[in-house]
Amino acid sequence: MAKTTMIKAITQALEDELKRDKNVLVFGEDVGRNGGVFRATDGLQDKVGEDQVFDTPLAESGIGGLAVGLALTGFRPVPEIQFFGFVFEVMDEIAAQIARTRFRLGGTRKMPVTIRAPFGGGVHTPELHSDSLEGLMAQTPGLKVVIPSDPYDAKGLLTAAIRSDDPVVFLEHMKLYRSFKQEVPDEAYTVALDKAAIKREGKDVTIISYGYMVHESLLAADELAKEGIEAEVVDLRTVSPLDEETILGSVKRTGRVVLVQEAQRQAGINSQVAALIAEKVILSLEAPIARVDAPDTPYPFSDAETIWLPNKQDIIEKVKETVNF
Amino acid sequence: DHSLPVLAMPSVRKFARENGVELAKIKGTGRHGQVTKADIEQALSLPQDA
């Protein structure tokens, strides 16, 4: 056990899997000699060689196609898209090829591909670096979409993703890369790809969130507790497929729910979770399903991030509205 | 004021709340014991015992 950052936990998971299985391949733009633009693959090429960790030309669509080809010949590709805003270049390979291959070929082939990509706001990136585009992926049948919020989950979920025979889109929030440390086991372990986690227990209202917003939700819950409102905070961890049992169980216990995401209202995953709750547990609801999300505009220029991104205060206000409904 | 795990539609919960009726004390006549708006109205029509 050692305290480590999320980025180091990710590197550990990659190193463990590269050494455990020679078919695991890590590739992308500047992931080799350079060690990745965020150091996620730092030192890996030296440790396992450039046959397993290598740079590619600057072409996301080509990287996606490379993953398809390698997977069809028995490898376990772990490509990186430098920033998830660049996913548009590789949408066909992900949504129309990787996600559909098992279905298209009647189960005679599989796509054990894990696509890693950073995303997320609050660190003043240039345009199309911070956009939350998990909603696009979650609407694509055949993909699992995983978004860890802390180092422990990041390592366990990435290990499980790489070992999974189905394609996984693994999204890493940039603000969480180094913002805090957490105890993470030295040895390899997995965290289930279809299970949410209750990160704080409470009886008055359920806050459902993922990614960096889990931390804003926990901060909000701390403040609400001072006013006598006990919020339960659920971290989805996997936004597709959703862990219905954990979501519905919590909402049934509290009778009130606030959904929190960093993406715009029309994007993300909130509306899907809201529909699920309305469909399955409406008889337990004491108040309307509430949503906290970003305005329906393109991701803002970096100077406007602080007034645009959802935060603790937005969550506190929405929870109070819901509790006092 | 929580009346869970009583089953009731949100509209019924609001109706009960606004009329000062405690859902847990109402016997639901709907499917699976669901409390209906009619159940609340029935309770309100009874003479108050305190």
Side-chain angles (χ1 to χ4, degrees):
Chain A
M1 282 293 245
K3 280 200 163 224
T4 192
T5 56
M6 189 164 101
I7 191 86
K8 287 258 172 64
I10 287 166
T11 312
Q12 274 182 28
L14 290 170
E15 184 177 339
D16 289 347
E17 293 311 291
L18 282 161
K19 287 178 173 167
R20 191 185 63 83
D21 181 352
K22 293 294 167 204
N23 285 322
V24 172
L25 303 178
V26 169
F27 53 91
E29 296 153 9
D30 291 328
V31 303
R33 178 67 46 214
N34 180 280
V37 287
F38 291 105
R39 324 306 314 147
T41 53
D42 195 21
L44 295 182
Q45 192 179 60
D46 283 341
K47 285 173 181 161
V48 300
E50 52 187 9
D51 286 347
Q52 251 186 301
V53 178
F54 51 91
D55 290 329
T56 65
L58 199 160
E60 283 76 17
S61 60
I63 291 170
L66 183 59
V68 173
L70 288 167
L72 286 174
T73 47
F75 289 99
R76 198 166 277 276
V78 187
E80 176 184 295
I81 305 299
Q82 200 163 70
F83 293 92
F84 205 57
F86 312 159
V87 69
F88 297 107
E89 298 290 337
V90 63
M91 263 317 262
D92 183 79
E93 284 71 20
I94 295 176
Q97 312 301 330
I98 291 173
R100 300 179 64 95
T101 295
R102 185 193 284 273
F103 175 85
R104 180 183 291 140
L105 300 179
T108 59
R109 298 287 200 286
K110 60 189 182 186
M111 275 288 138
V113 179
T114 302
I115 299 156
R116 290 183 42 251
F119 80 108
V123 290
H124 299 287
T125 62
E127 195 187 3
L128 211 57
H129 286 57
S130 295
D131 295 55
S132 289
L133 300 168
E134 67 279 6
L136 295 173
M137 297 294 110
Q139 289 203 0
T140 304
L143 294 179
K144 287 189 172 120
V145 186
V146 175
I147 305 181
S149 69
D150 61 36
Y152 180 90
D153 283 355
K155 185 175 171 187
L157 288 165
L158 182 55
T159 303
I162 294 171
R163 293 181 188 180
S164 165
D165 279 347
D166 289 315
V168 176
V169 176
F170 192 86
L171 300 176
E172 304 163 2
H173 198 293
M174 281 181 270
K175 195 168 178 175
L176 293 175
Y177 268 156
R178 296 181 168 80
S179 52
F180 68 100
K181 290 185 174 182
Q182 186 186 27
E183 292 283 345
V184 172
D186 296 326
E187 66 281 6
Y189 60 92
T190 58
V191 170
L193 292 179
D194 54 0
K195 281 276 171 279
I198 295 175
K199 293 274 161 96
R200 179 195 175 105
E201 292 192 354
K203 60 174 176 44
D204 296 326
V205 57
T206 298
I207 302 175
I208 298 177
S209 188
Y210 58 95
Y212 175 69
M213 284 299 131
V214 171
H215 298 275
E216 292 290 324
S217 299
L218 288 168
L219 290 172
D222 283 345
E223 297 224 353
L224 289 159
K226 290 179 200 153
E227 301 183 41
I229 298 169
E230 292 297 333
E232 180 149 301
V233 178
V234 175
D235 178 356
L236 290 175
R237 298 201 290 201
T238 297
V239 301
S240 181
L242 291 168
D243 176 4
E244 297 194 8
E245 196 185 336
T246 304
I247 294 169
L248 301 176
S250 178
V251 175
K252 270 203 256 183
R253 281 195 299 280
T254 65
R256 292 181 162 86
V257 61
V258 176
L259 310 175
V260 182
Q261 71 181 17
E262 182 175 320
Q264 294 89 339
R265 170 154 289 212
Q266 69 193 58
I269 207 77
N270 272 359
S271 51
Q272 189 66 29
V273 181
L276 172 73
I277 292 167
E279 202 171 59
K280 298 273 176 82
V281 291
I282 197 166
L283 293 176
S284 298
L285 289 183
E286 296 276 358
I289 301 161
R291 293 190 277 166
V292 174
D293 36 34
D296 281 327
T297 71
Y299 192 89
F301 295 106
S302 65
D303 284 350
E305 269 187 331
T306 48
I307 57 162
W308 189 87
L309 286 167
N311 60 29
K312 177 181 81 173
Q313 203 51 42
D314 299 324
I315 300 168
I316 290 172
E317 281 165 27
K318 194 53 85 174
V319 166
K320 285 186 181 169
E321 226 176 87
T322 302
V323 170
N324 297 321
F325 178 78
Chain B
D1 168 36
H2 280 235
S3 43
L4 298 175
V6 175
L7 297 180
M9 288 294 286
S11 58
V12 174
R13 289 176 192 278
K14 187 152 189 281
F15 183 67
R17 197 153 51 224
E18 282 169 357
N19 286 283
V21 173
E22 208 178 316
L23 269 190
K25 292 188 176 160
I26 309 288
K27 185 172 164 44
T29 62
R31 288 209 307 152
H32 310 299
Q34 199 188 133
V35 177
T36 64
K37 192 175 179 194
D39 294 334
I40 309 281
E41 283 165 342
Q42 164 76 13
L44 286 168
S45 72
L46 295 173
Q48 303 297 301
D49 53 1

